[in-house]
Amino acid sequence: MSEYFNYRDDTLHAEQVSLADIAQCFGTPCYVYSRAALTDAYQQFADALKGREHLICYAVKANPNLAILNLFARLGAGFDIVSGGELQRVLAAGGAADKVVFSGVGKRDDEMRLALSAGIRCFNVESEPELERLNEVAGSMGKVAPISLRVNPDVDAKTHPYISTGLKQNKFGVAYKEAIDLYRKAAAMAHLRVTGIDCHIGSQLTEVSPFMAAAEKVLALVDQLNAEGIQLEHIDLGGGLGIRYDDETPPAIAEYAQALLQALHGRAESLIVEPGRVLVGNAGILLTRIEYLKHGEEKNFAIVDAAMNDLMRPALYDAFHAIRSVKKNAVSMQVYEVVGPICETGDFIAHARGMAVAQGDVLAVMSAGAYGMSMSSNYNTRPRAAEVMVDGERTHLVREREMTEQLYALEKIID
Ligand code: LLP
């Protein structure tokens, strides 16, 4: 777990700030991020890649809060985006367009235009029709689009099937066998400039070997392209490094980075990586209050005020998140299902957890910084949680809790 969330005198703190005070002041559910944890994770990456030309493109989808984007931008990060909306966020947060790479299988014309006007670093193109569309759109604007092809290396990432992306049967990237032909085609298009190659095989990987297998296949293509006179400026090896939620033992950032550097040894191209989860996952928690303890016939339920709309990962992937009491309580330990108020059996945060808790206690759902708030919704007309960033002894509200009226403000009643 993170060294930035620790107990002091029986109360869990984020850096120097009591999480009980945050719950009191900002209410629950509430996401809390540690600035030091975010900075530390980014810095570990940057230090490990020092000495080689590189760009760390934070995958915005993991957590797109402006304060987080701004923090990473100030540390020198670039950004991996998957929509025009994410580009607008990056720019609003002070990120540099020329450090942005644009991934995704379904880029629309308007998103392409937005990115071309802003002057992004590279489009990671995922299919032949997208190549043609981008060439047309760039041509109509009198621009040349910098591109790399996202290659599908057909490597098993050994992770949850929903977040595995590098297998032949997945919708992502261009087929390995077709990549060279497509590069030839792209190189001949008037409004495209081939600048790189890209792959991303999945998320929450806990071993280095699938990354290495993918890198090897990508580098074999780079060699073939060189032989044909197509020189690349960068090699983008994607994101995907896992974090510890429970008892996983993912490689450390330094170990992973070292392996990438070794694979690229002796090559002139610069390295791009697209980490998301590993930069933010363990830098955030979700605070939630126990509304009711309900003792059923077969199970005990801790009914909390956060639900699957706030943190979707347990319902969607059966994902594990550790849960801690914000204030240690002297009551006896019991086994609980930790569930939200939403009317679905899939609405759970955790199964069968031993907890010494009482009604009204505040819990911290750990490792919730990545794909927590970013995947939240308004299901059941639930306003989305507040977001707070702790910086040493200071606390900043970085997103206000939504107000219910905002949720239907765009709707209309008809005659
Ligand atoms: N680059 C591309 C093209 C991606 O699709 C992703 C994530 C990343 C980078 C960042 O991957 P990371 O370093 O965060 O593993 N909602 C899921 C995770 C979905 C990941 C989607 N793509 C979850 O909650 O586990």
Side-chain angles (χ1 to χ4, degrees):
M1 218 67 58
S2 169
E3 63 203 85
Y4 299 98
F5 296 94
N6 273 314
Y7 284 101
R8 290 189 187 183
D9 304 328
D10 288 347
T11 302
L12 193 59
H13 283 60
E15 301 187 33
Q16 328 287 332
V17 181
S18 149
L19 290 169
D21 291 349
I22 292 183
Q24 186 63 38
C25 180
F26 299 100
T28 50
C30 177
Y31 278 97
V32 182
Y33 310 119
S34 153
R35 178 181 187 164
L38 295 162
T39 306
D40 182 18
Y42 182 85
Q43 217 52 60
Q44 282 185 46
F45 238 112
D47 288 347
L49 295 176
K50 219 166 30 203
R52 164 168 204 118
E53 206 188 316
H54 72 269
L55 185 60
I56 300 168
C57 289
Y58 167 61
V60 174
K61 63 166 80 77
N63 191 323
N65 185 286
L66 292 195
I68 291 179
L69 301 183
N70 174 262
L71 179 66
F72 287 147
R74 284 194 276 161
L75 292 169
F79 298 93
D80 169 53
I81 59 162
V82 290
S83 70
E86 286 190 347
L87 176 57
Q88 284 179 266
R89 269 183 184 276
V90 166
L91 299 176
D98 63 0
K99 290 183 174 178
V100 168
V101 298
F102 192 172
S103 304
V105 294
K107 303 177 192 77
R108 291 193 314 252
D109 292 18
D110 61 307
E111 294 177 307
M112 290 176 171
R113 278 195 293 274
L114 194 68
L116 284 163
S117 305
I120 66 164
R121 163 79 57 110
C122 191
F123 290 85
N124 291 337
V125 174
E126 304 220 15
S127 65
E128 184 168 5
E130 184 190 335
L131 212 52
E132 286 160 0
R133 172 93 66 94
L134 183 58
N135 186 49
E136 263 170 46
V137 172
S140 73
M141 296 172 72
K143 292 199 183 270
V144 172
I147 66 122
S148 69
L149 288 183
R150 174 170 176 182
V151 174
N152 185 332
D154 193 24
V155 164
D156 186 356
K158 299 184 203 151
T159 181
H160 190 286
Y162 286 11
I163 52 176
S164 184
T165 52
L167 285 170
K168 269 199 282 216
Q169 61 264 36
N170 299 137
K171 68 180 174 184
F172 299 98
V174 303
Y176 190 78
K177 283 189 299 204
E178 291 161 19
I180 295 288
D181 268 352
L182 278 181
Y183 265 106
R184 289 188 192 118
K185 193 169 170 179
M189 287 185 176
H191 307 289
L192 301 183
R193 187 167 69 85
V194 172
T195 63
I197 192 162
D198 169 45
C199 79
H200 171 79
I201 56 172
S203 196
Q204 183 54 16
L205 273 72
T206 52
E207 290 171 41
V208 172
S209 53
F211 290 115
M212 291 302 96
E216 221 170 272
K217 293 191 89 170
V218 166
L219 294 173
L221 288 179
V222 174
D223 290 339
Q224 285 182 55
L225 291 171
N226 281 345
E228 297 207 7
I230 300 179
Q231 293 290 336
L232 305 180
E233 292 163 21
H234 72 254
I235 297 171
D236 180 342
L237 294 176
L241 182 57
I243 61 169
R244 181 162 194 171
Y245 287 97
D246 184 11
D247 53 5
E248 304 91 336
T249 51
I253 291 174
E255 187 189 334
Y256 161 80
Q258 198 51 43
L260 298 188
L261 291 183
Q262 246 160 34
L264 292 184
H265 186 72
R267 293 179 183 268
E269 298 87 354
S270 73
L271 169 65
I272 293 182
V273 283
E274 303 170 355
R277 187 189 319 263
V278 75
L279 295 184
V280 294
N282 274 328
I285 58 126
L286 172 61
L287 288 180
T288 182
R289 191 178 292 275
I290 300 177
E291 291 286 350
Y292 302 102
L293 291 179
K294 177 172 172 178
H295 300 284
E297 258 178 77
E298 284 192 14
K299 287 182 172 175
N300 299 317
F301 296 94
I303 303 173
V304 298
D305 65 3
M308 64 190 286
N309 75 297
D310 299 298
L311 180 67
M312 202 185 182
R313 304 191 69 257
L316 193 56
Y317 315 114
D318 211 8
F320 177 96
H321 286 263
I323 294 185
R324 296 188 188 175
S325 291
V326 163
K327 269 186 191 294
K328 288 191 179 154
N329 201 326
V331 298
S332 67
M333 169 95 80
Q334 292 204 45
V335 174
Y336 291 98
E337 295 290 299
V338 182
V339 301
I342 286 181
C343 314
E344 300 208 20
T345 302
D347 179 30
F348 67 92
I349 304 286
H351 290 307
R353 296 297 169 83
M355 303 193 298
V357 291
Q359 280 184 185
D361 282 4
V362 178
L363 304 177
V365 183
M366 307 306 289
S367 312
Y371 306 108
M373 187 64 178
S374 65
M375 293 175 74
S376 66
S377 77
N378 294 120
Y379 188 40
N380 280 208
T381 306
R382 290 169 52 84
R384 277 185 296 171
E387 291 177 288
V388 163
M389 173 116 44
V390 169
D391 180 10
E393 292 176 347
R394 289 186 300 167
T395 305
H396 304 273
L397 180 63
V398 294
R399 191 177 203 268
E400 289 175 36
R401 181 179 309 287
E402 285 176 346
M403 287 179 296
T404 306
E405 311 80 71
Q406 294 175 317
L407 306 189
Y408 51 78
L410 302 176
E411 298 170 24
K412 270 204 181 83
I413 292 170
I414 61 166
D415 298 334

